[in-house]
Amino acid sequence: MGEIIIKHREGGETDLHAKSRAIRVIRAEQRKVLLGEDIFTLTIQTPSPVVAEIGDKIDIFGGTYTINQLPTITKTGTKSYEQTLTFEGMQSELLDVQFILPGNTMYDDLTGDAGDFLGIIVQNANRVYPGKWAAGTVPENTETKTLSFAEKNCLAALQEICEEWGTEFEITMSESGLRTIHLKQVGVQFPFTFKYGRTGGLYELSRKNIDSKNVVTRLYVYGGNRNLGRYRSGKLCLPNKLKNQSYIENEEAIILYGLKENVKTFDEIYPVRYGLVTALGESKHTFTDDTMDFDLNEVEGEDTKWLIPGISAKVRFTTGNLAGYEFDLHKYDHTTKEIQIIPFMDENGNKFPSETSPAFQMQVGDQYHFIDINLPDSYIENAEEDLEDLAIKYYDQYKQPQVQYSLSIHPRFLEKYTGAGITNIFSIGDQISVLDEEIGVDKTLRIVAFTRDAVDPFRYTLTLSEATYTKTIINRIIDDIEDIEDIIIRNNLADPFRARRNWMAAQELLDKIFDPEGYYYSEKIRPLSIETMMLQVGAKSQQFILQNTRFEPNHQGDPNAINIIGGQLVHYTLNDTITTWNLTSTTVTQLDPAKSYFVYAKCQADGDAGAIIIDDTQIKVDQDPMFYHFIIGHLSSVITNPDGSNPARILSLTYGSTTINGRFIKTGRIESSGGGSTYFDLDEGIISGNIRFISNGAEVDLSDWADQILAELGDVDGVISDLEEYIDGAFADGIISEAEARAIEKYINQINKEKNELEVVYNKTYLNPLLTGTPKTNLLNAKITLFGDITSLLNAINTAIADGATTPAEKQAVDAAFATYSSSLDLFTTRLEEARISIEQYLKSESDGARAAAAAAEAAANAASQDVADLSGI
């Protein structure tokens, strides 16, 4: 059992294993549930109560947990107290934040896709925890829905979003403390298959029923009743089947359980044609759809073929500002493909589409579909196929008894499997293959919950299920919590202490070098010099690359922890073809400070699953017949400064190869021996670091042009703000006097003057040859928008004062034009700052790049002989 240390909010720590405190840990469990709780429960027995308050934290299994409720204390004897402390994962912060819709929403509901709702959650989270939350991965092209989240916290809203769009969430935290919410299916495939009922100490797989519903071996399936017209049934049926034949069944399930019927109707599935707004009409309720492929007005006999007599066809928008709104169709012209809808007024007197507010108007690119019409057969056939696909997924859940499995694996088996250190072996959502011959189950199930013992970290109890997992609503009321974040600076540029660490780690690595394949001499080669035609460093088994893989030694400031983000190992010399393994992510904790470790990729010999493990023993690549062990690198023991401060480990990656041939050096990455973030990654094409650009002996300063253009922006903005205030006064009586008109004209001329000066300074910025790529494009687009909006504002003002009198509509047009200008001005300012940063970064990279590239190549060539002489295992 490793250390369990409570970090107090007000400072200081309590080590529960300190002998002086006589604390007995009765229970220490981590429990995680898919779409539900993430808690760590600690029960201790002490001679006197341990001080633990709201806001205290504990770091366990690679995560940080916080007390958000007061602990319970029970006196069990004269000098005996039992305390239960519940620590919650970082998702609990979302419990403290209410899901509040933006101020520009009109009602208590919101229409959008999954990404829109996630964005609102992040906005709310940052409202309470500024700068600590961000949106991450989101499924593409999710359906637009209208949802209401009245009186819900952000965690409950996040759970509901996952339920609505059939996804899950994962929250990750960076070294800086930024929490990122990802909407995706979580988990990876575990490489072993477990059989129900097996005994013998390796594991136990037990089964229990989770659903009272009966087994269904024949399922009658129907869809919705809209857009069917002269269909063979009042509801959508399966392809080529009449109403009484619209079912699916499974012969094997019928043999096992008999014929058991049930009915399922999916009202949301019906024929639909999604159209596109390709152009706007003269009125706000008219648009054109050039993709329309049939004439709505077509007549068949005495009736219309697609429009249903006596029923008003409707247009429902699914994306854009009017997403979720439904309008009656007024008319359709197939010659021009123009569609006209009937506006409506809500109970508050708001008109849709709005005549004045762009926020409630159509836009080119908006998607819509018709409701309450007949559709051509091709759309009906597509809907039938969609119905069949959904029905099969539903049927597969109920053609067998609804069960879930509890899997307990012997801790010593897991300890042997993972190697040294404490590893997060399982995660919520991981997929595990289960064979239950008794009820005909041979499938992959997912971990929907697990409990892990902190006293014996290899002791897991897993809950496996394939059924749709129901979210657990979590609510609580807590006091204000002071959040403390420890920031550890890990990368000091040209740090002599770091250079010393790297040297000491390299000496450890020299002693650890071994022959992974048995082909090399074991003795170290120590000649005075080496003269040869070609030099190649690296074993055949190490010729692989790691994709989307990240190593984080000294994880969260703990030198005995390393966090590993999986990814893929792509090997290109093992076989005649390139072989790829998917690596699981893990966090290894409680490493021995005095030991150094090898980092291996443990990959299936017959399969594509693998894991990165930490072990202190030498394992040859093909030593295990079940797995390859590819050596990735070496993790040093804990190294400190000479005064014993700042303990940390150094990770040295040893895979890949370097070839020196004549004047050419082929390698993957060149980096500074002094550490820091300066490096040349030749594989990725990246030059990074705190790099300065020196031109003719002087360092380039970029601040002049940026400061000038920002000053010009301020001048323009000030003039226009004054103009808006003056116009408000001039328009107050609806009549503009000659003096007022002249004053407004003066302001207009001043705007034009400032605009022209701004253009000159902007061109100096934009035409700078160092500004390239996306920043350049973004700045150009922002400039075009800004200058266009200034012109629009001038035109609106000129129109309003042309005849000396002003209507309310003209005043509104000026206000709207000013609002648009203000928005584009903010965007241009942002893009300008991005451009300045881009140029600074480019010049810095060029400075060190010009100098360091030549120096690094020359140094690498001159030092090659000595470097090789210091290596062993060649």
Side-chain angles (χ1 to χ4, degrees), residues 209-220 248-263 394-403 439-441 443 466:
N209 294 327
I210 62 169
D211 198 325
S212 59
K213 294 180 181 179
N214 293 329
V215 175
V216 178
T217 57
R218 175 182 289 172
L219 181 68
Y220 286 87
I248 53 178
E249 61 183 16
N250 182 280
E251 292 183 3
E252 293 180 1
I254 293 175
I255 292 173
L256 282 172
Y257 309 111
L259 185 60
K260 299 180 181 295
E261 295 182 334
N262 210 327
V263 178
Y394 183 88
Y395 176 73
D396 285 344
Q397 296 183 36
Y398 295 98
K399 68 181 181 183
Q400 297 165 332
Q402 289 293 284
V403 298
I439 63 171
V441 169
K443 60 180 65 176
E466 70 165 354

Coordinates of all heavy atoms in Angstrom, one line a residue, residues 209-220 248-263 394-403 439-441 443 466:
N209 N -29.3 -10.2 -13.2 CA -30.3 -9.6 -14.1 C -30.3 -8.1 -13.7 O -30.3 -7.7 -12.5 CB -31.7 -10.2 -13.9 CG -31.7 -11.6 -14.4 OD1 -31.0 -11.9 -15.4 ND2 -32.5 -12.5 -13.8
I210 N -30.5 -7.2 -14.7 CA -30.6 -5.8 -14.5 C -31.8 -5.2 -15.0 O -32.1 -4.0 -14.8 CB -29.4 -5.1 -15.1 CG1 -29.3 -5.2 -16.6 CG2 -28.1 -5.5 -14.5 CD1 -28.4 -4.3 -17.3
D211 N -32.6 -5.9 -15.7 CA -33.8 -5.4 -16.4 C -35.0 -6.4 -16.2 O -34.8 -7.6 -16.5 CB -33.6 -5.1 -17.8 CG -34.6 -4.1 -18.4 OD1 -35.8 -4.2 -18.0 OD2 -34.2 -3.3 -19.3
S212 N -36.1 -5.9 -15.8 CA -37.3 -6.7 -15.6 C -38.0 -7.1 -16.8 O -38.9 -7.9 -16.9 CB -38.3 -6.0 -14.6 OG -38.7 -4.8 -15.1
K213 N -37.6 -6.4 -18.0 CA -38.2 -6.7 -19.2 C -37.9 -8.1 -19.7 O -36.8 -8.7 -19.5 CB -37.8 -5.7 -20.3 CG -38.2 -4.3 -20.0 CD -37.7 -3.4 -21.2 CE -38.1 -1.9 -20.9 NZ -37.6 -1.0 -21.9
N214 N -38.9 -8.7 -20.3 CA -38.7 -10.1 -20.8 C -37.8 -10.1 -22.0 O -37.6 -9.1 -22.7 CB -40.1 -10.7 -21.2 CG -41.0 -10.9 -20.0 OD1 -40.5 -11.2 -18.9 ND2 -42.3 -10.8 -20.2
V215 N -37.3 -11.3 -22.3 CA -36.6 -11.5 -23.6 C -37.5 -11.3 -24.7 O -38.7 -11.8 -24.7 CB -35.9 -12.9 -23.6 CG1 -35.2 -13.2 -24.9 CG2 -34.9 -13.0 -22.4
V216 N -37.0 -10.7 -25.8 CA -37.8 -10.5 -27.0 C -37.1 -11.3 -28.2 O -36.0 -10.9 -28.5 CB -38.0 -9.0 -27.4 CG1 -38.8 -8.9 -28.7 CG2 -38.6 -8.3 -26.3
T217 N -37.8 -12.2 -28.8 CA -37.2 -12.9 -29.9 C -37.8 -12.6 -31.2 O -37.2 -12.8 -32.3 CB -37.3 -14.5 -29.7 OG1 -38.6 -14.8 -29.5 CG2 -36.5 -14.9 -28.4
R218 N -39.0 -11.9 -31.2 CA -39.6 -11.4 -32.4 C -40.1 -10.0 -32.0 O -40.9 -9.8 -31.2 CB -40.8 -12.2 -32.9 CG -41.5 -11.6 -34.1 CD -42.7 -12.4 -34.6 NE -42.2 -13.6 -35.2 CZ -43.1 -14.6 -35.6 NH1 -44.4 -14.4 -35.4 NH2 -42.6 -15.7 -36.2
L219 N -39.5 -9.0 -32.8 CA -39.8 -7.6 -32.5 C -40.5 -7.0 -33.7 O -40.0 -6.9 -34.8 CB -38.5 -6.8 -32.2 CG -38.7 -5.3 -31.8 CD1 -39.4 -5.2 -30.5 CD2 -37.3 -4.6 -31.8
Y220 N -41.8 -6.5 -33.5 CA -42.5 -5.8 -34.5 C -42.0 -4.3 -34.4 O -42.0 -3.7 -33.3 CB -44.0 -5.9 -34.3 CG -44.6 -7.2 -34.6 CD1 -44.6 -8.2 -33.7 CD2 -45.1 -7.4 -35.9 CE1 -45.2 -9.5 -34.0 CE2 -45.7 -8.7 -36.2 CZ -45.7 -9.7 -35.3 OH -46.2 -10.9 -35.6
I248 N -38.5 -8.3 -36.9 CA -37.2 -9.0 -37.0 C -37.2 -10.0 -36.0 O -37.8 -9.9 -34.9 CB -36.1 -8.0 -36.9 CG1 -36.2 -7.2 -35.6 CG2 -36.0 -7.1 -38.1 CD1 -35.0 -6.2 -35.4
E249 N -36.5 -11.1 -36.2 CA -36.4 -12.2 -35.3 C -35.0 -12.9 -35.5 O -34.3 -12.7 -36.5 CB -37.5 -13.2 -35.5 CG -37.6 -13.8 -36.8 CD -38.8 -14.8 -37.0 OE1 -39.7 -14.7 -36.2 OE2 -38.8 -15.6 -37.9
N250 N -34.7 -13.8 -34.5 CA -33.5 -14.5 -34.5 C -33.7 -16.0 -34.2 O -34.3 -16.3 -33.1 CB -32.5 -13.9 -33.5 CG -31.1 -14.6 -33.5 OD1 -31.0 -15.7 -33.0 ND2 -30.2 -14.0 -34.2
E251 N -33.4 -16.8 -35.2 CA -33.8 -18.3 -35.0 C -33.1 -18.9 -33.8 O -33.7 -19.6 -33.0 CB -33.4 -19.0 -36.3 CG -34.2 -18.7 -37.5 CD -33.9 -19.5 -38.7 OE1 -33.0 -20.4 -38.6 OE2 -34.5 -19.2 -39.8
E252 N -31.8 -18.5 -33.6 CA -31.1 -19.1 -32.4 C -31.7 -18.6 -31.1 O -31.8 -19.4 -30.2 CB -29.6 -18.7 -32.5 CG -28.8 -19.2 -33.7 CD -27.4 -18.8 -33.7 OE1 -27.0 -18.0 -32.8 OE2 -26.7 -19.2 -34.6
A253 N -32.1 -17.4 -31.0 CA -32.8 -16.9 -29.8 C -34.1 -17.6 -29.6 O -34.5 -17.9 -28.5 CB -33.0 -15.4 -29.9
I254 N -34.8 -17.8 -30.7 CA -36.1 -18.5 -30.6 C -35.9 -19.9 -30.1 O -36.7 -20.5 -29.2 CB -36.9 -18.5 -31.9 CG1 -37.3 -17.1 -32.3 CG2 -38.1 -19.4 -31.9 CD1 -37.9 -16.9 -33.7
I255 N -34.9 -20.6 -30.6 CA -34.6 -22.0 -30.1 C -34.3 -22.0 -28.6 O -34.7 -22.9 -27.8 CB -33.4 -22.6 -30.9 CG1 -33.9 -22.8 -32.3 CG2 -32.9 -23.9 -30.3 CD1 -32.7 -23.2 -33.3
L256 N -33.5 -21.0 -28.2 CA -33.1 -20.9 -26.7 C -34.2 -20.5 -25.8 O -34.4 -21.1 -24.7 CB -31.9 -19.9 -26.6 CG -30.6 -20.4 -27.0 CD1 -29.6 -19.2 -27.0 CD2 -30.1 -21.5 -26.1
Y257 N -35.1 -19.5 -26.2 CA -36.0 -18.9 -25.3 C -37.5 -19.0 -25.7 O -38.4 -18.6 -25.0 CB -35.7 -17.5 -25.1 CG -34.2 -17.2 -24.7 CD1 -33.4 -16.6 -25.5 CD2 -33.7 -17.7 -23.5 CE1 -32.0 -16.4 -25.2 CE2 -32.4 -17.5 -23.1 CZ -31.6 -16.9 -24.0 OH -30.2 -16.7 -23.6
G258 N -37.7 -19.6 -27.0 CA -39.1 -19.7 -27.5 C -39.5 -18.4 -28.2 O -38.7 -17.4 -28.2
L259 N -40.6 -18.4 -28.7 CA -41.1 -17.2 -29.5 C -41.7 -16.2 -28.5 O -42.8 -16.5 -27.9 CB -42.2 -17.6 -30.5 CG -42.7 -16.5 -31.4 CD1 -41.5 -15.9 -32.2 CD2 -43.8 -17.0 -32.4
K260 N -41.1 -15.1 -28.3 CA -41.5 -14.0 -27.4 C -41.6 -12.7 -28.2 O -40.6 -12.2 -28.6 CB -40.6 -13.9 -26.2 CG -40.5 -15.2 -25.4 CD -39.5 -15.0 -24.2 CE -39.4 -16.3 -23.4 NZ -40.7 -16.7 -22.8
E261 N -42.9 -12.2 -28.3 CA -43.1 -11.0 -29.2 C -43.2 -9.7 -28.4 O -43.6 -9.7 -27.2 CB -44.4 -11.2 -30.0 CG -44.3 -12.4 -31.0 CD -45.6 -12.5 -31.8 OE1 -46.7 -12.0 -31.3 OE2 -45.5 -12.9 -32.9
N262 N -42.8 -8.6 -29.1 CA -43.0 -7.3 -28.5 C -43.1 -6.3 -29.6 O -42.8 -6.7 -30.8 CB -41.9 -7.0 -27.5 CG -42.4 -6.0 -26.4 OD1 -43.2 -5.2 -26.7 ND2 -41.8 -6.1 -25.2
V263 N -43.5 -5.1 -29.3 CA -43.6 -4.0 -30.4 C -42.8 -2.8 -29.9 O -42.8 -2.4 -28.8 CB -45.1 -3.6 -30.6 CG1 -45.2 -2.5 -31.6 CG2 -45.9 -4.8 -31.0
Y394 N -31.7 -2.1 -31.4 CA -32.6 -2.2 -30.3 C -32.8 -3.7 -30.0 O -32.8 -4.1 -28.9 CB -33.9 -1.5 -30.6 CG -34.8 -1.5 -29.4 CD1 -34.8 -0.5 -28.5 CD2 -35.8 -2.5 -29.4 CE1 -35.7 -0.6 -27.4 CE2 -36.7 -2.5 -28.3 CZ -36.7 -1.6 -27.4 OH -37.6 -1.6 -26.3
Y395 N -33.0 -4.4 -31.1 CA -33.4 -5.9 -30.9 C -32.2 -6.6 -30.3 O -32.4 -7.5 -29.5 CB -33.7 -6.4 -32.3 CG -34.0 -7.9 -32.3 CD1 -35.2 -8.5 -31.7 CD2 -33.1 -8.8 -32.8 CE1 -35.4 -9.8 -31.7 CE2 -33.3 -10.2 -32.8 CZ -34.5 -10.7 -32.3 OH -34.7 -12.0 -32.3
D396 N -31.0 -6.3 -30.7 CA -29.8 -7.0 -30.2 C -29.7 -6.9 -28.7 O -29.1 -7.7 -28.0 CB -28.5 -6.5 -30.9 CG -28.4 -7.0 -32.3 OD1 -29.1 -8.0 -32.6 OD2 -27.6 -6.4 -33.0
Q397 N -30.3 -5.8 -28.1 CA -30.2 -5.7 -26.6 C -31.2 -6.6 -25.9 O -30.9 -7.0 -24.8 CB -30.5 -4.2 -26.2 CG -29.6 -3.2 -26.7 CD -29.9 -1.8 -26.3 OE1 -30.4 -1.6 -25.2 NE2 -29.7 -0.8 -27.1
Y398 N -32.2 -7.0 -26.6 CA -33.3 -7.7 -25.9 C -33.5 -9.2 -26.4 O -34.4 -9.9 -25.9 CB -34.6 -7.0 -26.0 CG -34.6 -5.6 -25.2 CD1 -34.3 -4.4 -25.9 CD2 -34.7 -5.6 -23.9 CE1 -34.3 -3.2 -25.2 CE2 -34.7 -4.4 -23.2 CZ -34.4 -3.2 -23.9 OH -34.3 -2.0 -23.2
K399 N -32.7 -9.6 -27.3 CA -32.9 -11.0 -27.8 C -32.2 -12.0 -26.8 O -32.3 -13.2 -27.0 CB -32.3 -11.2 -29.2 CG -30.8 -11.0 -29.3 CD -30.3 -11.2 -30.7 CE -28.8 -11.1 -30.8 NZ -28.3 -11.2 -32.2
Q400 N -31.5 -11.5 -25.8 CA -31.0 -12.2 -24.7 C -31.4 -11.6 -23.4 O -31.8 -10.4 -23.4 CB -29.4 -12.2 -24.8 CG -28.9 -12.9 -26.0 CD -27.4 -12.5 -26.2 OE1 -27.0 -11.5 -25.8 NE2 -26.7 -13.4 -26.9
P401 N -31.4 -12.4 -22.3 CA -31.7 -11.8 -21.0 C -30.8 -10.6 -20.7 O -29.6 -10.5 -21.0 CB -31.4 -12.9 -20.0 CG -31.5 -14.2 -20.8 CD -31.0 -13.8 -22.2
Q402 N -31.4 -9.5 -20.1 CA -30.7 -8.3 -19.8 C -29.9 -8.5 -18.5 O -30.5 -8.6 -17.4 CB -31.7 -7.1 -19.6 CG -32.3 -6.6 -20.9 CD -31.2 -6.0 -21.8 OE1 -30.8 -4.9 -21.6 NE2 -30.8 -6.7 -22.8
V403 N -28.6 -8.7 -18.7 CA -27.8 -9.0 -17.5 C -26.6 -8.1 -17.5 O -26.2 -7.5 -18.5 CB -27.3 -10.5 -17.6 CG1 -28.4 -11.5 -17.5 CG2 -26.4 -10.8 -18.8
I439 N -26.0 -18.9 -21.6 CA -27.1 -18.1 -22.2 C -26.7 -17.6 -23.6 O -27.4 -16.7 -24.1 CB -27.5 -16.9 -21.3 CG1 -26.4 -15.9 -21.1 CG2 -28.0 -17.4 -19.9 CD1 -26.8 -14.7 -20.4
G440 N -25.7 -18.1 -24.2 CA -25.4 -17.7 -25.6 C -24.8 -16.4 -25.7 O -25.0 -15.7 -26.8
V441 N -24.0 -15.9 -24.8 CA -23.4 -14.6 -24.9 C -21.9 -14.8 -25.2 O -21.1 -15.5 -24.6 CB -23.4 -13.8 -23.5 CG1 -22.6 -12.6 -23.5 CG2 -24.9 -13.4 -23.2
K443 N -19.6 -11.8 -26.6 CA -19.6 -10.4 -27.1 C -18.7 -9.6 -26.2 O -18.1 -10.0 -25.2 CB -21.0 -9.8 -27.0 CG -21.6 -9.8 -25.6 CD -23.0 -9.2 -25.6 CE -24.0 -10.0 -26.4 NZ -25.3 -9.5 -26.4
E466 N -23.7 -4.3 -21.5 CA -23.9 -3.7 -22.8 C -25.1 -2.9 -23.0 O -25.3 -2.2 -23.9 CB -24.0 -4.8 -23.9 CG -25.3 -5.6 -23.8 CD -25.5 -6.5 -25.0 OE1 -24.7 -6.4 -26.0 OE2 -26.4 -7.2 -25.0

